[in-house]
Amino acid sequence: MIYSFLQNSIADFAAASYGIESAPGSVQVQKTRKEFDGDFTVVTFSLSKNARKAPEAVAEELGKWLVSRFSETFRQFNVVKGFLNLTLTPDYWMNFLRNIADDVAFGTTATPGDTPVLVEFSSPNTNKPLHLGHIRNNLLGHSVSEILKAAGHRVVKLNLVNDRGIHICKSMLAWQRWGNGETPGSSGIKGDHLVGKYYVLFDKHYKEELKKLRESGLDEPQAEAASVLMADAREMLRQWENGNPEVRALWSRMNQWVYEGFEATYKRMNITFDQIDYESDTYLLGKNIVLEGVSNGTLEHREDGSVWADLRSQNLDEKLLLRSDGTSVYMTQDIGTACKRYEQFKPSTMIYVVGNEQNYHFDVLKRVLGLIGYGWSENIHHLSYGMVELPQGKMKSREGTVVDADDLMTEMYETARSTTLALGKTENFSPQELDELFHMLGLGALKYFILKVDPRKTMLFNPEESIDFNGHTGPFIQYTHARIRSVLRKAAEAGWNVDHAQLLVDQTVMLPDKERQLLRLVADFPTVLEEAATTLSPASIANYVYELAREYNQFYHEFSILHEPNKSLAALRLALSVVIARILQRGMGLLGIDVPERM
């Protein structure tokens, strides 16, 4: 809205005044800092360079041009060095509020484009349950998908389940040897947790074997090479790839336990996918593509039977694609999956939401696909994110020192329960309503605490901090939304027509400063959404809705709404409240967070 109008106007000014043809957006426009007078600031340094004039002179000329040409929009301006601070007219803000008051899609693009964007996230292994690291992955992938949809993209949410490989065979072998027929039904243990138990058990026995081998005089590499347990796991993998019916039957049975466990966790987290792919369905395709690369000379087939990609000319090293025994590596199935998806969707972009420990892997994936001849590999984007750490340090799946996703969500529910009951404001809630509220607050606290951090940063998760109703948290924003909804219910009971908020806006009422500040924040929503979609960072949305909630709370405490004697001003504040509640709900929804109607 105002940002695009300003950008277009500045381009017109540059052409008319200096004969400079510049694309809208080439001159930076930002919010005016609080210590200066104004609503928006134009940074004129790039324009002054092209105009060969001092920045102050350009800012002065631009300010006069805008105020004289668009007097209904710009009331006044001031110049601080090369920064032009513009103040918008009260009429502009009143018209803006009236225009968006009943626009439920404000800031978003309703019609998606034709070419899809693929977003792959979650991508769990079927040898363990989802943990805290997976939670960040799932929340990022889901939120990025929702943000891209709101920005006008057609999005396909994908999940690639890593359901085969040596890690799966470790769990299978351990269950086969020490499981005594244990099942989720017989043990009462959730399926993914049960399989994860045997993954940890394999590692325990493997370490004990290595210790004995070292004590017999072998060094570490020799002990690893002599391990019978690891050799048996590798043999199980070879049998799986050769289609051994008994191995395949055990694999299917244990994976089904895990899928049922995953589905329960996803449902609780409110995560869904448009398509789920399985590595077991794509690794053969990847092998065939690699062998085609051998036949056309782009890949190297060595004497031991292994296949490699030579990326040294691209400042990388040589990459193994097929082992000497013919079995696949992760890269093989990723090649197959990428090709399958491109043929299926013809996407504009393929986004992989994967932790930063896989930066090299995705760099190599793009290079190998390009080497084989797939030009669309340039459209692959790795959304790399930092790890989640706890106050006690990093998590290790093999050792069982992970924070389980199910356990963490239960802990957040209980924390939300105790914190909410301590406030003593839920007397009129039924048991079912309380359960829904505690779930909403606990999950909101977890999601917001993770998503407010820039994805590229490693983060420290502290459950107690995340639930603070007065801090920079999800519950604070949820509480603000519930507060506004309470005001609007009371207003409706008193006869105000809050269902048609634009009718509440009296164009003749004087616009106070605090309301103008809130409207300026509201006007930022489309730009923040666009930025979040461009940078693939939900943190932009998270921090914006917090700022909006914080400013509204200050407004709520300082000014009366329903008891304001000036009815036109009261109506204005109600219309503003309607809009802010809607943006809080929409913004939190982009993060995958529900907001309550009452608390």
Side-chain angles (χ1 to χ4, degrees):
M1 288 188 166
I2 185 61
Y3 283 97
S4 59
F5 175 76
L6 256 176
Q7 295 285 9
N8 290 329
S9 299
I10 293 168
D12 291 344
F13 164 78
S17 300
Y18 307 134
I20 299 171
E21 296 296 330
S22 60
S26 58
V27 176
Q28 185 180 358
V29 177
Q30 59 194 28
K31 285 193 301 182
T32 302
R33 289 162 56 180
K34 290 185 177 180
E35 59 266 33
F36 297 104
D37 184 30
D39 293 315
F40 297 96
T41 297
V42 181
V43 184
T44 64
F45 294 103
S46 61
L47 185 58
S48 68
K49 181 179 180 181
N50 292 327
R52 297 183 179 180
K53 283 192 170 187
E56 293 84 350
V58 171
E60 188 75 27
E61 292 174 4
L62 175 58
K64 290 179 180 178
W65 189 86
L66 288 171
V67 169
S68 63
R69 194 178 185 88
F70 306 107
S71 58
E72 74 283 359
T73 300
F74 302 106
R75 185 179 70 187
Q76 61 187 35
F77 72 93
N78 65 84
V79 176
V80 180
K81 297 184 178 180
F83 299 91
L84 168 63
N85 301 318
L86 294 161
T87 300
L88 275 62
T89 64
D91 282 347
Y92 171 85
W93 287 121
M94 296 298 286
N95 286 325
F96 168 72
L97 177 58
R98 187 175 179 83
N99 289 336
I100 69 167
D102 295 326
D103 182 5
V104 295
F106 167 67
T108 64
T109 303
T111 305
D114 294 329
T115 307
V117 174
L118 307 187
V119 183
E120 181 198 287
F121 60 100
S122 196
S123 304
N125 297 328
T126 56
N127 65 320
K128 56 190 175 185
L130 303 178
H131 56 61
L132 178 55
H134 292 117
I135 285 180
R136 190 177 198 189
N137 181 295
N138 279 282
L139 300 186
L140 277 172
H142 176 81
S143 182
V144 164
S145 298
E146 294 304 306
I147 288 168
L148 289 171
K149 288 179 189 176
H153 298 276
R154 184 161 73 90
V155 176
V156 180
K157 297 182 293 180
L158 300 167
N159 183 3
L160 175 66
V161 179
N162 298 299
D163 64 338
R164 59 162 294 281
I166 190 66
H167 51 292
I168 311 297
C169 291
K170 290 176 182 179
S171 295
M172 292 165 57
L173 187 62
W175 183 87
Q176 196 176 60
R177 294 196 176 176
W178 304 295
N180 296 315
E182 185 178 33
T183 68
S186 68
S187 64
I189 300 175
K190 192 164 169 274
D192 50 338
H193 289 249
L194 182 63
V195 174
K197 166 186 169 182
Y198 286 98
Y199 182 63
V200 173
L201 189 60
F202 177 95
D203 188 64
K204 175 186 175 183
H205 283 277
Y206 178 54
K207 286 180 177 177
E208 290 173 353
E209 183 187 20
L210 291 182
K211 181 180 178 183
K212 291 179 181 178
L213 289 169
R214 288 194 300 268
E215 289 172 351
S216 71
L218 301 181
D219 60 20
E220 190 72 25
Q222 290 172 331
E224 291 175 356
S227 167
V228 175
L229 191 59
M230 186 61 75
D232 289 345
R234 293 195 183 101
E235 176 58 28
M236 181 175 276
L237 176 60
R238 281 189 287 271
Q239 291 179 15
W240 184 92
E241 293 210 3
N242 290 330
N244 181 294
E246 292 182 3
V247 172
R248 285 291 181 116
L250 176 60
W251 169 78
S252 296
R253 185 185 188 194
M254 294 182 68
N255 271 355
Q256 188 57 42
W257 296 345
V258 175
Y259 298 150
E260 291 169 0
F262 283 171
E263 182 58 33
T265 304
Y266 287 138
K267 184 176 181 180
R268 190 175 181 185
M269 211 184 302
N270 200 22
I271 297 293
T272 60
F273 303 95
D274 299 309
Q275 178 172 301
I276 298 179
D277 297 316
Y278 299 89
E279 182 182 344
S280 56
D281 293 331
T282 59
Y283 83 102
L284 285 177
L285 175 59
K287 288 178 71 172
N288 291 334
I289 292 170
V290 167
L291 292 174
E292 287 177 13
V294 171
S295 64
N296 65 28
T298 57
L299 301 176
E300 179 186 354
H301 200 172
R302 296 187 177 172
E303 291 183 3
D304 65 353
S306 60
V307 177
W308 296 72
D310 187 352
L311 301 174
R312 289 176 293 183
S313 63
Q314 301 182 48
N315 298 318
L316 294 173
D317 54 12
E318 296 175 293
K319 178 63 183 176
L320 175 68
L321 300 179
L322 286 177
R323 300 186 184 94
S324 57
D325 61 4
T327 56
S328 304
V329 296
Y330 271 127
M331 187 63 66
T332 318
Q333 62 90 9
D334 275 350
I335 290 171
T337 304
C339 290
K340 174 188 173 185
R341 288 174 175 171
Y342 184 79
E343 288 304 313
Q344 181 181 358
F345 295 105
K346 297 295 190 296
S348 61
T349 310
M350 301 169 69
I351 299 170
Y352 292 82
V353 183
V354 184
N356 57 16
E357 77 279 7
Q358 295 294 325
N359 287 350
Y360 174 78
H361 175 88
F362 283 97
D363 192 9
V364 170
L365 176 63
K366 289 180 65 171
R367 306 291 183 92
V368 170
L369 285 167
L371 187 66
I372 295 173
Y374 296 110
W376 48 261
S377 61
E378 289 302 313
N379 298 329
I380 287 176
H381 178 82
H382 175 206
L383 176 49
S384 173
Y385 63 88
M387 295 294 98
V388 183
E389 297 182 0
L390 297 161
Q392 61 266 36
K394 295 182 179 180
M395 301 177 289
K396 297 180 181 179
S397 296
R398 292 186 186 89
E399 298 177 8
T401 59
V402 299
V403 175
D404 176 78
D406 296 315
D407 292 343
L408 180 57
M409 285 189 283
T410 297
E411 179 184 345
M412 296 304 299
Y413 175 95
E414 292 300 329
T415 304
R417 178 180 179 277
S418 60
T419 303
T420 306
L421 292 178
L423 294 175
K425 296 182 179 181
T426 55
E427 295 86 354
N428 297 324
F429 282 67
S430 70
Q432 181 181 347
E433 289 172 331
L434 284 175
D435 178 68
E436 292 173 354
L437 179 62
F438 301 152
H439 177 74
M440 191 183 298
L441 294 176
L443 209 54
L446 174 62
K447 291 182 175 183
Y448 186 85
F449 198 87
I450 287 176
L451 291 174
K452 74 178 182 180
V453 178
D454 186 301
R456 295 166 294 184
K457 295 181 179 179
T458 295
M459 66 168 295
L460 184 70
F461 179 72
N462 187 322
E464 292 182 1
E465 286 184 18
S466 71
I467 205 76
D468 183 359
F469 279 68
N470 296 309
H472 184 182
T473 66
F476 171 76
I477 300 166
Q478 290 171 311
Y479 182 74
T480 302
H481 177 267
R483 165 175 277 168
I484 298 175
R485 296 303 303 167
S486 175
V487 170
L488 296 178
R489 282 193 298 273
K490 292 176 181 177
E493 292 169 1
W496 294 95
N497 189 2
V498 294
D499 290 332
H500 298 284
Q502 69 169 231
L503 301 179
L504 300 173
V505 183
D506 182 350
Q507 299 293 120
T508 64
V509 69
M510 182 175 294
L511 182 67
D513 285 343
K514 188 61 179 181
E515 285 80 348
R516 180 176 66 87
Q517 291 172 16
L518 283 169
L519 280 170
R520 189 173 71 176
L521 259 180
V522 166
D524 287 339
F525 180 55
T527 305
V528 172
L529 175 56
E530 182 181 353
E531 176 192 353
T534 301
T535 61
L536 303 179
S537 176
S540 300
I541 298 291
N543 289 288
Y544 167 78
V545 291
Y546 169 71
E547 183 182 5
L548 184 60
R550 185 186 61 191
E551 290 298 320
Y552 182 88
N553 269 292
Q554 290 179 358
F555 161 74
Y556 176 86
H557 287 297
E558 292 175 13
F559 301 97
S560 175
I561 298 178
L562 297 180
H563 298 295
E564 166 60 46
N566 183 331
K567 296 303 179 184
S568 294
L569 183 55
L572 167 68
R573 288 171 177 171
L574 282 172
L576 187 55
S577 298
V578 169
V579 169
I580 290 175
R582 188 184 301 131
I583 293 177
L584 291 180
Q585 183 179 32
R586 182 61 167 146
M588 292 290 269
L590 294 175
L591 305 178
I593 300 172
D594 294 325
V595 288
E597 288 293 303
R598 63 192 185 107
M599 285 176 62

